[in-house]
Amino acid sequence: MEPLNLRGERHRVSGICWGLVFLLLVTNAADIVLMFLAVMVDPVVALSMEGMSWIAAAAQFLLGYPVCLLMLARIPAYPMETYRLRPGQITDAAFACCFLLVAGSLLGQAVSGIISEILGYKTWNIVSESISSTSLFYNLVTTVVAAPVCEELVCRKEIIDRMNRLGDRPAILVSALLFALLHGNFYQFFYAFGVGLVLGYIYARTGMIRYTIGLHMAINLLCGVLPDVWYQLGGDAASILWELLLLAAAAVGLVRFIVRWHRPRRLGGWWNMAGDRGGGSGVPQAVLMSVLRCSVALFVLYLM
């Protein structure tokens, strides 16, 4: 591998970050255009919750993400070596994601509540509202299939493959941060960041995107779509039972993490990862500035 060029790597990271900004720009522009066309054809369907949701999904998954992937494809990548996971490792990762999902959700609700009190208006859990107000078919297509595939290809494979020369840990951290920012709200930010760390770690250790796509699909199905289905079938009692099962899975995830933390060789080697493969102490600062500019841009776009 050729020597690390700090200026080149800084441009590489900037290209990655602005690719995600263009993802939102293209998605928002396409959403407006598609909505205008749909209203001209059938305003009743287009302005219904289901209709608006399908239009937004088409703008995001059929236009926004493909444009982002085309932009990232122009940046040279360094694919990871591939290794297989054992079933027990996949199970531990799933339980760890459950714990981070529950803990992150509670933190996100607390932060959103504080912001609501400070600003004087009520914030809404956009994902929960969307899932409960759209059809099961829509949620299966978008939340369980399209979102995991597109988000993992961009936020795990494309980003980590292009940042791993800076070190595995910086690549995983930036990947998780940008993944969390793309969700655009504090309800999801914290658990998306935590789960993003786990999924990024798995991809960095295995080089196989199918593992993270599969886990992401399972998380969205079990923790996003099925709770609403369970509630519709069994009411409050069924919903409480599902939440208790999720809390139990989170507890198992916490215990398993503690056990593995005290067995470093079984943890998989987070601290054995390369922190800075290029050996340049200026790399983290360059990455931070590029990511910071991208973060500000993403927040501004979500406020528009």
Side-chain angles (χ1 to χ4, degrees):
M1 183 180 295
E2 66 271 18
L4 188 67
N5 180 287
L6 295 185
R7 176 177 294 182
E9 294 303 319
R10 184 161 55 247
H11 287 309
R12 181 194 304 273
V13 174
S14 295
I16 293 170
C17 291
W18 292 116
L20 299 189
V21 172
F22 270 91
L23 162 61
L24 293 187
L25 288 173
V26 171
T27 297
N28 290 335
D31 191 13
I32 294 172
V33 173
L34 291 176
M35 177 62 71
F36 176 77
L37 295 175
V39 168
M40 292 181 62
V41 174
D42 191 335
V44 175
V45 174
L47 296 176
S48 66
M49 179 59 69
E50 187 81 6
M52 290 188 293
S53 297
W54 278 109
I55 291 170
Q60 182 179 19
F61 299 122
L62 298 182
L63 293 171
Y65 274 103
V67 168
C68 180
L69 287 169
L70 288 174
M71 291 184 64
L72 295 180
R74 301 176 63 183
I75 304 173
Y78 298 89
M80 315 292 293
E81 295 182 12
T82 58
Y83 301 93
R84 294 184 180 275
L85 287 179
R86 297 189 300 274
Q89 292 174 313
I90 297 175
T91 302
D92 281 343
F95 279 120
C97 287
C98 286
F99 167 70
L100 292 169
L101 187 69
V102 171
S105 295
L106 293 175
L107 181 57
Q109 291 174 22
V111 171
S112 297
I114 293 172
I115 293 175
S116 296
E117 290 294 327
I118 293 175
L119 299 181
Y121 69 88
K122 184 176 177 58
T123 58
W124 299 93
N125 189 332
I126 300 174
V127 175
S128 177
E129 293 292 328
S130 175
I131 290 177
S132 62
S133 59
T134 50
S135 67
L136 177 61
F137 177 69
Y138 169 84
N139 290 320
L140 289 175
V141 170
T142 59
T143 305
V144 180
V145 178
V149 171
C150 292
E151 290 171 359
E152 291 307 310
L153 287 175
V154 169
C155 294
R156 241 63 66 186
K157 180 172 177 55
E158 297 300 324
I159 291 179
I160 293 178
D161 280 359
R162 284 160 178 78
M163 285 194 61
N164 56 25
R165 276 168 53 85
L166 302 177
D168 296 320
R169 282 176 292 188
I172 293 170
L173 289 169
V174 171
S175 168
L177 175 60
L178 295 178
F179 173 63
L181 286 170
L182 280 178
H183 286 75
N185 62 84
F186 284 110
Y187 280 104
Q188 293 178 283
F189 177 86
F190 298 100
Y191 74 71
F193 179 73
V195 171
L197 288 176
V198 175
L199 296 179
Y201 175 77
I202 291 173
Y203 179 69
R205 300 305 293 178
T206 66
M208 293 188 179
I209 198 63
R210 66 172 184 243
Y211 287 131
T212 65
I213 290 177
L215 279 170
H216 199 154
M217 285 181 171
I219 291 168
N220 284 9
L221 175 64
L222 297 175
C223 303
V225 175
L226 285 187
D228 184 67
V229 174
W230 200 248
Y231 173 77
Q232 293 180 18
L233 292 176
D236 290 334
S239 180
I240 292 173
L241 177 60
W242 191 268
E243 290 179 1
L244 290 175
L245 291 174
L246 183 58
L247 287 173
V252 172
L254 177 60
V255 171
R256 292 298 300 161
F257 176 80
I258 293 174
V259 170
R260 283 183 174 268
W261 183 265
H262 288 287
R263 299 177 185 177
R265 287 178 295 180
R266 294 192 62 190
L267 186 62
W270 166 267
W271 45 78
N272 292 328
M273 287 183 166
D276 182 4
R277 295 181 179 182
S281 60
V283 171
Q285 289 84 352
V287 172
L288 177 61
M289 291 308 299
S290 296
V291 174
L292 179 61
R293 288 192 292 268
C294 176
S295 301
V296 172
L298 291 175
F299 269 112
V300 170
L301 284 172
Y302 272 113
L303 291 174
M304 294 174 62

